[in-house]
Amino acid sequence: MTNNVDYFEIGSPEPVATKEFYGQLFGWEIGSPSEQGYRSVNKTEGGVWDTSEMGGNNWGIFYVHVKDVKDAVAKAEKLGAKIVVPFTSGGGIEFAHIIDPHGNRFGVWKPLN
C-alpha cells in the first residue's frame, strides 16, 4: 500500500533514556542497538537512532511509503521542497528525507523486496 504513513524514527543523543521513556509511555518494545546505533520499535513499526555520533540532534520523522522514491523526490523538489537526505538505497529499502516548503521534515521510502 503506498502513499500512507507507515514508519517513523526518533533521533536522540540519549537512546537509552529515549527507549525508557517511549517504552514506558506506550509499551513499545525497543530492541538492542545495531552496529549503526539503530534500535527497532516493535520489530517493524519504527526505530530509534543514536545521534550522539551524528551531531547529537533530537528529531522525530514520519515516512510515507511510495511507489517510486526517486519520482517522489523529484516531485517534492518541483513543489518547492528541499532534499536533506538524498535518495539512498541499502538495508533492503530505498529512502530520502525531505523538508517541505514550511520547514517540516519527513521521509519517503520503499522496501526493495
Side-chain angles (χ1 to χ4, degrees):
M1 200 141 80
T2 59
N3 296 331
N4 289 315
V5 174
D6 62 0
Y7 199 78
F8 70 91
E9 291 176 339
I10 299 167
S12 172
E14 298 180 27
V16 173
T18 299
K19 174 182 177 174
E20 290 175 14
F21 175 80
Y22 285 102
Q24 290 178 30
L25 180 63
F26 297 123
W28 291 349
E29 180 185 320
I30 301 173
S32 299
S34 69
E35 289 181 25
Q36 296 80 24
Y38 192 81
R39 292 166 166 84
S40 293
V41 175
N42 295 334
K43 297 188 178 158
T44 61
E45 295 175 7
V48 174
W49 274 108
D50 178 352
T51 63
S52 61
E53 300 293 322
M54 299 182 254
N57 295 323
N58 290 294
W59 44 266
I61 186 170
F62 67 88
Y63 285 82
V64 179
H65 187 153
V66 297
K67 287 182 184 177
D68 188 307
V69 173
K70 289 180 181 178
D71 284 348
V73 167
K75 186 173 184 179
E77 285 183 302
K78 286 180 186 175
L79 293 169
K82 177 181 176 186
I83 309 308
V84 292
V85 175
F87 174 84
T88 303
S89 181
I93 65 170
E94 297 176 342
F95 70 95
H97 287 192
I98 300 167
I99 296 181
D100 74 19
H102 304 287
N104 300 297
R105 186 175 181 141
F106 67 99
V108 291
W109 83 286
K110 173 187 155 184
L112 292 174
N113 50 12

